[in-house]
Amino acid sequence: MARRRKNNSSGHVKSPGATNWKKFCEKHDTEKTGKVTKRAKKVSNVHIPDDLTSHVKDITEKENSNPCLDKRKRKTKPLTTQASTEISNNITHRLALDCEMVGSGKDGSDNQLARVSIVNVYGDTVYDKIVLPREHVTDYRSLITGLNKQIITAKGVPFKLVQAEVADIVKDKVVIGHDIKHDFTVLEFSHPKPMIRDTAKYKPFKALSKGNTPSLKKLCSEILKISVQEGAHDSIEDARSALQLYRMHRTSWERSIKKYKKKVQKNDSADDSEKKEGSDDALDD
């Protein structure tokens, strides 16, 4: 004869499965929220062996010290507050470059390289040197460059040496700058166009000047809400400003470049197909 199940205080029949379901809920709530709920109070007093506790602690410490896990959690490193005189050896794939120029010629309108500064993607200075102009300087443009004959004579480095060092640093790197074509002109070497990010040419930035080339000062004022170039220009500060503009719009900027590359590749493929068809027709004739 089957036994009758015992009623609980509420008068309902208590089935054996109810206990298992309760335990499941207690376990589920604890795993889901990380907190012990009212239903899980009874299991909160369970004794955990010391060796198991230490084992869990070791695993947690390893996870916290794992650079791969830390990299996934870490957000983009903010721009450095490092002093301009400190030089870092951390040359990243993306670099920002800016040059200061003095004038030569009768009216001082010919540009001569006088200073080169390069910062990495975090804003750390990786290169900063004053350059000895190769031609006679007729205008040091001191109010803009912050340089004069005494500074350049005392600290200047031969142009060819600087040119070689800068070319080696930026080789195969993405170079960021403002109206950077002028910088490469005075450096007297070129850089692959697909590897350049020019804040003076980026369309969303040009829209602020109704399609004209915006000044770095204007972009910093309207986008970054900071003031630059109030007095003499600082090539490190200008490089960091261009970098900051790029970093703020990096995702959309890089996406637009990829989209443009795909469009070009598609057009090239279409042109190749037309050429092939044309050559086939010629053979048929």
Side-chain angles (χ1 to χ4, degrees):
M1 183 176 178
R3 279 186 173 182
R4 186 178 179 182
R5 292 171 183 167
K6 188 178 179 180
N7 289 355
N8 57 14
S9 58
S10 62
H12 294 93
V13 177
K14 184 177 181 181
S15 70
T19 304
N20 294 334
W21 174 250
K22 184 177 180 181
K23 288 182 178 179
F24 170 79
C25 291
E26 290 170 352
K27 182 180 178 181
H28 176 72
D29 290 345
T30 304
E31 289 178 346
K32 186 175 181 181
T33 64
K35 298 178 182 179
V36 178
T37 62
K38 291 181 180 180
R39 291 187 295 190
K41 280 185 178 179
K42 290 183 180 180
V43 298
S44 63
N45 295 324
V46 176
H47 174 68
I48 299 175
D50 293 336
D51 56 343
L52 179 60
T53 305
S54 60
H55 176 64
V56 173
K57 183 179 180 182
D58 291 340
I59 293 175
T60 304
E61 288 176 351
K62 286 179 182 178
E63 287 180 345
N64 290 337
S65 62
N66 189 330
C68 295
L69 292 175
D70 184 57
K71 188 176 181 180
R72 288 197 298 267
K73 295 176 183 177
R74 187 172 59 242
K75 293 182 179 180
T76 304
K77 181 181 174 182
L79 287 178
T80 186
T81 55
Q82 169 205 54
S84 299
T85 54
E86 298 175 12
I87 301 296
S88 169
N89 59 1
N90 182 16
I91 298 176
T92 54
H93 180 62
R94 288 178 171 80
L95 301 167
L97 177 148
D98 189 77
C99 298
E100 296 297 341
M101 307 161 202
V102 293
S104 62
K106 291 183 178 180
D107 56 355
S109 60
D110 297 333
N111 292 326
Q112 294 290 313
L113 182 65
R115 183 185 178 187
V116 188
S117 301
I118 304 174
V119 301
N120 64 19
V121 75
Y122 306 118
D124 300 324
T125 306
V126 297
Y127 191 89
D128 184 35
K129 288 189 178 179
I130 293 173
V131 186
L132 289 169
R134 292 183 298 166
E135 296 183 15
H136 176 67
V137 178
T138 54
D139 185 358
Y140 284 93
R141 304 171 184 171
S142 298
L143 294 176
I144 297 174
T145 64
L147 302 172
N148 54 41
K149 185 176 181 178
Q150 290 74 23
I151 294 174
I152 292 177
T153 303
K155 299 182 179 181
V157 178
F159 173 85
K160 286 293 183 182
L161 175 62
V162 173
Q163 183 190 50
E165 290 176 341
V166 173
D168 183 59
I169 290 172
V170 302
K171 183 180 179 181
D172 300 325
K173 304 291 192 301
V174 173
V175 181
I176 302 151
H178 187 79
D179 219 1
I180 202 169
K181 65 180 181 181
H182 299 299
D183 299 301
F184 285 119
T185 297
V186 293
L187 283 164
E188 295 187 4
F189 69 85
S190 60
H191 195 68
K193 191 174 180 179
M195 302 295 282
I196 292 175
R197 304 292 182 268
D198 194 336
T199 54
K201 303 299 181 184
Y202 186 46
K203 286 184 178 179
F205 293 166
K206 290 183 72 174
L208 295 174
S209 295
K210 298 180 180 180
N212 298 317
T213 301
S215 67
L216 182 61
K217 185 173 183 176
K218 180 180 179 68
L219 292 178
C220 289
S221 176
E222 296 196 14
I223 298 175
L224 302 179
K225 307 302 179 184
I226 60 173
S227 298
V228 298
Q229 301 177 345
E230 292 298 327
H233 295 193
D234 182 341
S235 50
I236 292 178
E237 180 187 54
D238 289 351
R240 284 178 180 162
S241 298
L243 171 66
Q244 199 168 351
L245 287 165
Y246 167 76
R247 281 178 43 141
M248 183 176 285
H249 293 261
R250 174 178 169 179
T251 302
S252 56
W253 197 328
E254 294 300 329
R255 189 184 294 121
S256 66
I257 291 173
K258 287 182 180 179
K259 188 176 179 180
Y260 175 76
K261 285 181 179 178
K262 286 183 179 179
K263 184 178 179 181
V264 170
Q265 289 173 355
K266 186 177 180 180
N267 291 338
D268 289 344
S269 299
D271 291 341
D272 291 341
S273 298
E274 289 178 2
K275 287 180 182 179
K276 187 176 181 181
E277 289 176 2
S279 61
D280 291 341
D281 293 340
L283 290 172
D284 292 339
D285 294 340

